[in-house]
Amino acid sequence: MTGSGTDPRTTAATPHKTARTSAPGARRTVIENGYVATVDGAGTEHARGHVVVEGARILAVGAGPAPAALREGADVVDATGCLVTPGLINTHHHLYQWLTRGYAQDSILFDWLTALYPLWSRIDAGLTGSGAAGAMAVLARSGCTTVGDHHYIFPRGSGDIVGALVEAAGRIGVRLHATRGSMDLGASQGGLPPDFAVETTQAALTASQEAVERYHDPSPDALVQVAIAPCSPFSVTADLLRESAVLARDLGVRLHTHASETVEEDAYCAERFGKSPTAYLEDLGWLGPDVWMAHCVHLDESAIRRYAATGTGVAHCPSSNGRLAAGIAPVHDLLTAGVAVGLGVDGAASNESGQLGVEIRESVLMGRLRSGADSLSVRHGLWMATAGGARVLGREADLGSLAAGMLADLVVWRVDGVEHAGILDPVAALGLGALPPIVRSLVGGRTIVADGALVTAEEAVIAREVAAASRALAERL
Ligand SMILES: [Zn+2]
């Protein structure tokens, strides 16, 4: 990085080390002979190293083969020809949109939203579960181990949608950061969504509290956490934004929304509120270390300073920003200012690929288009996809880097196949080359992907379910 700010990559997390001893007989996995990129605060990498996992946590990481005493009775994975990284963390998605891919292909955000609201307003818990399973299967197959989701459409009588997301995450075996989103500003009140797509302010607040009370697990080992996430300044009233912030802080959970995505949003906020989206959100209590914003494409220097000063995190979604021609986020400037930036695929209706691993390369390429060839390295991309994402979600003590005491979420990527053999640097193979096949992916020590395939669920079954659910939803229009 160039610039004089504090590079957030060098701020090491302190792993939880108390009360983490594994139960006697906990399963042990030894991964050795691979190139280990730990993504710790010092950027430690071992050209030939090992990671030992016991139970849900990492027991040891280091250079050379694993100590003989730790190999005894363990499941040994020979990672020769492989890159070992922390599991990738997705900080922004709309999983239900897996069922609405390929629509409004040539539209900008506001037109794309307007085209899709009627379809999305016919979603229910059953369809959401099917779409989410498809989206999370593809995320897992692209190296993702923690899935952040933002669901903000809750039609009347649609059932327990957050519950369906939790169930789908359990089926695939990924960690879930669900957010209970909301919209209460319909077109008749000056908002973008049609009135039939929004809830009342009070209904949104009540349901948000219920979702947190029912599904949020505050423990360091949590597989499911819940945050509160009114959708955007142009679909939510000031009251709901303000009250959501109060509620989240009362409940001790995080806050998430879309911010500064397009020039049209800037114009909307200037006309309606007389200020920028950043100033508007800050006035409603929405900047802080417990908040992360999706996109942040159109932040000026003073807005970046406010993000840095308040510890507000950013979910950078380069493919979606390209699909909707929203612009290129100032990632170099954000990182230079010390802002925590994670990566997100965003909803599948604006990123039909839905592969998180691909976003590492997209973030590097788009960052360079905006700020120059030396502005963003592949290691910045990997950091955003792992440790940066963990910071954005408030999980940096447990997730995002490979170190003793951290949760055992990691990926073993094969980089000696025909796509990657001979690439000088294994991290560049991941960050600039084709998305490598996955030899093994662990979530809390449990294998979810092995030899390139999901092991927790049948991919063909999920694919059929997605096709049927997409058709069923389209027929409801
Ligand atoms: Zn989004």
Side-chain angles (χ1 to χ4, degrees):
M1 295 296 291
T2 52
S4 57
T6 309
D7 186 337
R9 295 185 305 149
T10 58
T11 311
T14 309
H16 279 288
K17 293 224 169 154
T18 51
R20 297 279 172 273
T21 43
S22 303
R27 68 187 180 284
R28 190 181 294 163
T29 304
V30 170
I31 297 157
E32 58 185 3
N33 304 322
Y35 187 102
V36 179
T38 68
V39 200
D40 63 8
T44 308
E45 297 180 4
H46 304 293
R48 201 170 183 83
H50 65 268
V51 181
V52 180
V53 170
E54 189 167 72
R57 298 244 163 201
I58 294 172
L59 192 62
V61 180
L70 298 181
R71 296 178 89 256
E72 218 166 292
D75 168 20
V76 178
V77 178
D78 181 5
T80 301
C82 296
L83 167 69
V84 185
T85 70
L88 308 188
I89 294 173
N90 186 46
T91 57
H92 186 67
H93 207 311
H94 311 286
L95 294 166
Y96 74 95
Q97 291 181 9
W98 199 253
L99 303 179
T100 61
R101 292 181 291 163
Y103 290 79
Q105 292 175 23
D106 306 315
S107 299
I108 61 167
L109 178 71
F110 280 12
D111 299 338
W112 172 87
L113 284 169
T114 305
L116 280 156
Y117 283 135
L119 189 57
W120 292 342
S121 297
R122 284 154 172 90
I123 198 93
D124 61 25
L127 294 177
T128 300
S130 298
M136 289 194 279
V138 170
L139 283 167
R141 293 258 269 97
S142 69
C144 178
T145 52
T146 295
V147 176
D149 185 55
H150 184 185
H151 194 104
Y152 53 81
I153 295 233
F154 294 87
R156 222 170 274 124
S158 55
D160 182 5
I161 284 178
V162 178
L165 294 165
V166 170
E167 194 182 319
R171 189 174 165 195
I172 306 302
V174 290
R175 230 175 268 285
L176 176 67
H177 275 238
T179 70
R180 206 296 179 180
S182 51
M183 301 194 294
D184 71 337
L185 185 64
S188 66
Q189 304 303 311
L192 186 72
D195 288 358
F196 61 75
V198 307
E199 301 174 278
T200 66
T201 308
Q202 193 51 53
L205 288 166
T206 302
S208 298
Q209 178 163 355
E210 282 171 7
V212 171
E213 287 171 349
R214 189 178 289 186
Y215 297 112
H216 179 68
D217 175 1
S219 77
D221 289 38
L223 280 169
V224 176
Q225 295 208 333
V226 180
I228 295 179
C231 187
S232 65
F234 52 84
S235 61
V236 175
T237 62
D239 281 349
L240 182 52
L241 281 163
R242 195 185 297 108
E243 292 305 314
S244 292
V246 171
L247 177 63
R249 285 164 183 146
D250 279 352
L251 296 171
V253 298
R254 297 176 85 77
L255 281 164
H256 179 49
T257 192
H258 294 98
S260 302
E261 183 173 358
T262 64
V263 291
E264 289 78 16
E265 177 189 336
D266 269 356
Y268 179 93
C269 289
E271 188 187 337
R272 196 172 162 97
F273 315 121
K275 51 185 99 163
S276 70
T278 303
Y280 176 61
L281 288 164
E282 181 161 26
D283 287 351
L284 296 171
W286 265 81
L287 293 188
D290 54 350
V291 182
W292 84 104
M293 310 283 197
H295 302 303
C296 303
V297 171
H298 300 281
L299 297 184
D300 61 15
E301 266 179 50
S302 73
I304 291 171
R305 276 199 300 274
R306 293 310 301 147
Y307 273 65
T310 55
T312 306
V314 170
H316 173 43
C317 307
S319 288
S320 171
N321 296 154
R323 162 78 151 86
L324 297 171
I328 301 173
V331 172
H332 166 79
D333 297 345
L334 286 163
L335 291 176
T336 302
V339 176
V341 181
L343 297 183
V345 300
D346 201 5
S350 61
N351 180 358
E352 278 77 357
S353 144
Q355 296 175 295
L356 184 56
V358 168
E359 300 302 318
I360 297 174
R361 185 168 71 144
E362 295 297 318
S363 71
V364 172
L365 300 184
M366 301 256 284
R368 289 176 180 194
L369 284 172
R370 174 155 180 154
S371 303
D374 63 351
S375 65
L376 212 62
S377 71
V378 289
R379 283 167 176 79
H380 287 108
L382 178 60
W383 183 86
M384 288 190 284
T386 54
R391 268 186 62 181
V392 165
L393 297 182
R395 299 294 299 272
E396 68 271 26
D398 297 286
L399 294 173
S401 57
L402 302 178
M406 302 292 274
L407 283 167
D409 290 20
L410 60 85
V411 183
V412 181
W413 311 85
R414 179 157 295 291
V415 291
D416 64 354
V418 69
E419 308 96 323
H420 305 94
I423 296 182
L424 196 57
D425 166 15
V427 177
L430 169 65
L432 295 176
L435 189 64
I438 293 175
V439 172
R440 192 74 82 99
S441 174
L442 305 182
V443 174
R446 176 191 183 204
T447 298
I448 63 164
V449 177
D451 301 325
L454 202 61
V455 297
T456 45
E458 193 72 50
E459 290 178 19
V461 170
I462 292 173
R464 279 196 297 274
E465 204 178 305
V466 165
S470 299
R471 219 168 26 245
L473 179 60
E475 283 166 3
R476 290 182 183 183
L477 256 193

